[in-house]
Amino acid sequence: MNVLSSSFVEHGRELKQRAWHVFLSLGISFATCFFFRQEILHRMMLPLLEQEGANRFIYTKLPEAFIIYLKISLVVACLLSLPVFLYHLGIFLLPGLYLFEAKKLGGLVLGAVGLMWAGMTFTHQCLVPTAW
């Protein structure tokens, strides 16, 4: 698609196509995470399971276990599909940026994703066990 002569409708079509790619990656990630839901929940609970007296979950309502599995799967799927979202957002916005802005976009996206994962790892390994 020629960026300089693209109409508003063509930009809308491109945005729609990129949104479908993002939602498809989110759906595939969610299905995969829901398939491995028990392993993911166990991995998330390892710091808490090492504490005294916290060896299992207590569910107070009937659908609560299923809802927790859905929420955990959705959150992990969103985190896994975040790089796909950022890639498509960057590629969509790239033609409208100046050259010096476009050069900084890649480092900004990689830095944001890396710092997000580093923060989540620090929280999971250091803060959660000491706070519980």
Side-chain angles (χ1 to χ4, degrees):
M1 172 168 61
N2 188 359
V3 177
L4 296 177
S5 65
S6 297
S7 70
F8 185 74
V9 175
E10 290 172 344
H11 285 293
R13 285 187 191 133
E14 181 187 0
L15 184 61
K16 180 181 175 183
Q17 179 185 9
R18 293 193 183 280
W20 276 112
H21 287 165
V22 169
F23 286 128
L24 181 65
S25 72
L26 181 64
I28 291 171
S29 298
F30 178 75
T32 304
C33 290
F34 193 73
F35 182 75
F36 294 108
R37 64 190 178 270
Q38 291 176 338
E39 291 86 359
I40 292 171
L41 189 62
H42 179 72
R43 175 76 177 137
M44 290 177 72
M45 291 300 299
L46 277 178
L48 298 178
L49 293 176
E50 294 170 355
Q51 304 292 326
E52 291 183 27
N55 57 0
R56 63 185 173 95
F57 279 119
I58 297 174
Y59 302 111
T60 58
K61 296 179 183 175
L62 184 62
E64 192 171 7
F66 180 70
I67 298 297
I68 286 176
Y69 284 138
L70 281 178
K71 287 180 181 180
I72 294 292
S73 298
L74 184 62
V75 167
V76 174
C78 287
L79 293 174
L80 289 176
S81 63
L82 182 67
V84 175
F85 170 73
L86 291 176
Y87 168 77
H88 282 289
L89 180 67
I91 293 298
F92 182 74
L93 295 177
L94 197 61
L97 298 176
Y98 291 112
L99 185 59
F100 70 93
E101 293 172 333
K103 287 181 181 179
K104 293 181 181 181
L105 185 65
L108 181 68
V109 169
L110 288 176
V113 171
L115 288 173
M116 179 196 71
W117 283 103
M120 288 189 310
T121 303
F122 174 74
T123 301
H124 183 260
Q125 296 297 323
C126 299
L127 296 181
V128 170
T130 59
W132 204 261

